[in-house]
Amino acid sequence: MNSELNFWEEKQDDFDIRVFFLKYFRYWYWFITSLTVSFIVAYLYLRYTTPIYQVSSLLLIKDEKKGGMSGNDVLKDLELFSGNKIVENEVEVLKSRTLIEKVVNELNLTVYYFQEGAIRDFDEMAYGISPIWVQHGNLNSVAYEEPLFIKILNKQKYELLDEYGKTKGIFAYSQNIKSEFGLFRIFLHDSLYRKENDLIKVTFAPKDAVIQQYQSNLQVELLNQKSSVLKLSVEDAVPSKGRAFLAKLLEAYTFSALSDKNREASNTIQFIDERLKLITNELGDVERDVELYKSSQGITDLSAEANLFLEKVKETDSELNSVDIKLKVLDEVEAYLLSSQTGVAPSTSVNDPVLINLLNKLNELSIQKEKYARTTQVGNPLLETISTQIANVKSAIKENIANQKKTLFVTRSNLKDMNNKFESSIRTIPKKEREFVNIKRQQGIKESLYLLLLQKREETAISYASTVTDSRVVDDPYSTPTPVKPKKTIIYALAILIGLIIPASVVNGKELIYNKIQSRKEIETISGFSIFGEISKKPKDLHDNVLDLTSKSFISEQFRILRTNLQYAGTSSEGSKSILLTSSISGEGKSFVSINLAASIALLEKKVVLIELDLRKPKISKYLGVSEDKGISNYLIDRASEEDIIKHTKISNNLFIIPCGPTPPNPAELLSNGRIKTLIEVLRQTFDYIILDTPPVGLVTDATILSPYADVCFYLVRHEYTPKSYLNLLVDLKKSNKFNSLNIIFNGVDYSNSGYGYGYGYGYGYGYAYGEEKKNREWWKVWS
């Protein structure tokens, strides 16, 4: 029965967490070293990297579509020029270059101040605590490349130094200085003066670079898509500077918004004032005409009939006057539309609600166009869109004015007809009274127009006085208490990760590059064979390769287990059993295993003969101290009998050896001549076990020639010695079925250096240790 023994096969999961960790635990000192270095690097990085803080502020924008802030209803009725803002547009306005440039100029952010630090040479000073401040004019390129050092000598003078400590002179504060840096002046803050010989480092940055830096650094985002609250945030190494920047930015934004609204109201007031001046002069002339006529004609009162007609004429004149005013207002609006001037269109004198809405919309679009013109380039699609909307609104206004004029002209014609009827009746009144009525009528017209303009002016003035911004600061600028960059937890977490990845990568890389068998799992995975038995690495003090198999050492116990399991290998029939040992390459321990396996069997009072069939490199006879004058080579050429070549050994009375004999020039041909078969048949009659020590099957064909004479074949694989590629030879041998009962012995296993995949519990239940070998093993090697 030819079968392979699966005695040692164990059910293993695809992933064994113990094996996984033990794989790396053997290199624990690598991990400790790597983690220590990673933590030191992380500590130094955190110590010498400038920390960055985040400064934030919340701003509420009035946007009724998103539920913006509500104001006083009375002021809302009088707020003739207010318009809701679009939150998305305000985000872009807050990040506009114009606004940020204004902030940079006012805060003088192109100048940086540093003081001597405890860790770094110089640390940037908190904004507003520097004892000096620099006001500069035109600077040269060298000013942006080299730092300037200022040593405060006292409250009157300071010394100017270059980066090498060379003095450039001693100057008084506020003195104009012209140097290779350019033009600048240095001032002293008396309240912030600290000490004499205080050294301050000053650097300059180009304004455009600073503006661009803040533009890219400034983040403006909606806190919620359904709200109109904006969060403004910047990151800065100096929290006080970040807070000052955001506070000034919000102030500039508010001022800009108020300026736009006040400009609209002031333009309307200016328009009404010009009309009032003209009407006031005309009204004064009419009143003087009334006074002059009464005094010259001696008129004191009118008759009842004249009064009746006069009231009717007044009524029609009043209506006619109203029509004329509306026509004049429409003419003014039409003249504004036809002119090329920009600004706010007059809307307060218009009574038609449709026209008022169109004019208000035109005003809003004009203000937006002016705002975008300041913050965007010519040809911007958004600017083009607003221009198109303005043109459409103007066209609608013109059409509305034309329709209103047509209606007003018809109304005025009807009123004039009625006036003509009344005047024909008045002609019956005496001439003086008729002339007085005409003068009085002009006075009434002028008074009505004057009162109307006064009312509109007051409404506009109240709206101007009650103008409030469409935004409100919810949270003043505040900074985080701890730096946002670098984050200590993240840096140390990365240090741990890198400290683990680097040695783990080295271990995995070593495994990939290392082409030797390192575990039984590799053998079972690649070849598909189960391991029949394992033999540990032989003791270093063993010189003749012969073990004391009566001892309780670990390796002796392994040979006894291997001996016991031989009954499950090969055929189950009674009689002599022949065992063939081979390997892939030379040096895998065939001779060592052959000798000690034979000696172990001999201890059971079984007669064992060991045949040294490695005719090219014989070693067994030397290990056992047996003469090589006659051996198997002599027998194969028919120059010696069986009795001549079988020799006793010193190990046991039951262990015999057939040495190699003289090295032949043609071993393969000798083994194929048929005499080896005769020899084995003869030996089976005398010996219980015949062990054939053959050359490596991966190098020569001797083992293949001898395979038909073996009941069991043991293929040796040596730990950290046999190349992995030779496991494919095992697969080929299994497929070709050239060997009977092919099994694998894993030899030379170094348990103390394997780290994983071994340690299958030899000695479970034995109750004794394996001699001094186990006592001397370190605790981590025992448990691995």
Side-chain angles (χ1 to χ4, degrees), residues 146-204:
E146 299 178 5
L148 190 65
F149 292 87
I150 299 168
K151 181 186 286 188
I152 300 175
L153 301 178
N154 47 51
K155 289 189 175 183
Q156 288 76 35
K157 293 185 178 182
Y158 64 90
E159 184 180 8
L160 209 58
L161 306 172
D162 60 14
E163 60 180 328
Y164 304 106
K166 184 178 179 181
T167 182
K168 291 181 173 294
I170 297 176
F171 306 92
Y173 295 108
S174 73
Q175 178 181 345
N176 286 321
I177 300 175
K178 184 176 182 181
S179 68
E180 68 270 19
F181 284 79
L183 297 174
F184 60 89
R185 289 197 298 170
I186 297 175
F187 298 87
L188 178 69
H189 287 296
D190 289 336
S191 59
L192 300 176
Y193 179 82
R194 299 185 297 190
K195 60 182 179 179
E196 294 182 355
N197 297 321
D198 195 3
L199 187 62
I200 306 296
K201 177 184 175 182
V202 177
T203 61
F204 301 98

Side-chain angles (χ1 to χ4, degrees), residues 342-353:
T342 59
V344 180
S347 62
T348 56
S349 301
V350 179
N351 294 322
D352 182 71

Side-chain angles (χ1 to χ4, degrees), residues 35 48 75 104 119 122 136 147 190 217 224 269 283 314 340 352 362 465 497 519 534 574 598 637 655-656 726 736 770:
L35 285 171
Y48 291 101
L75 293 180
V104 170
I119 298 175
F122 284 90
H136 64 82
D190 289 336
N217 192 15
N224 190 307
I269 291 175
L283 183 60
K314 275 188 175 182
S340 60
D352 182 71
L362 178 62
L497 188 63
S519 70
E534 287 186 7
E574 298 293 333
I637 61 175
L655 178 60
F656 298 86
Y726 278 95
S736 62
Y770 299 115

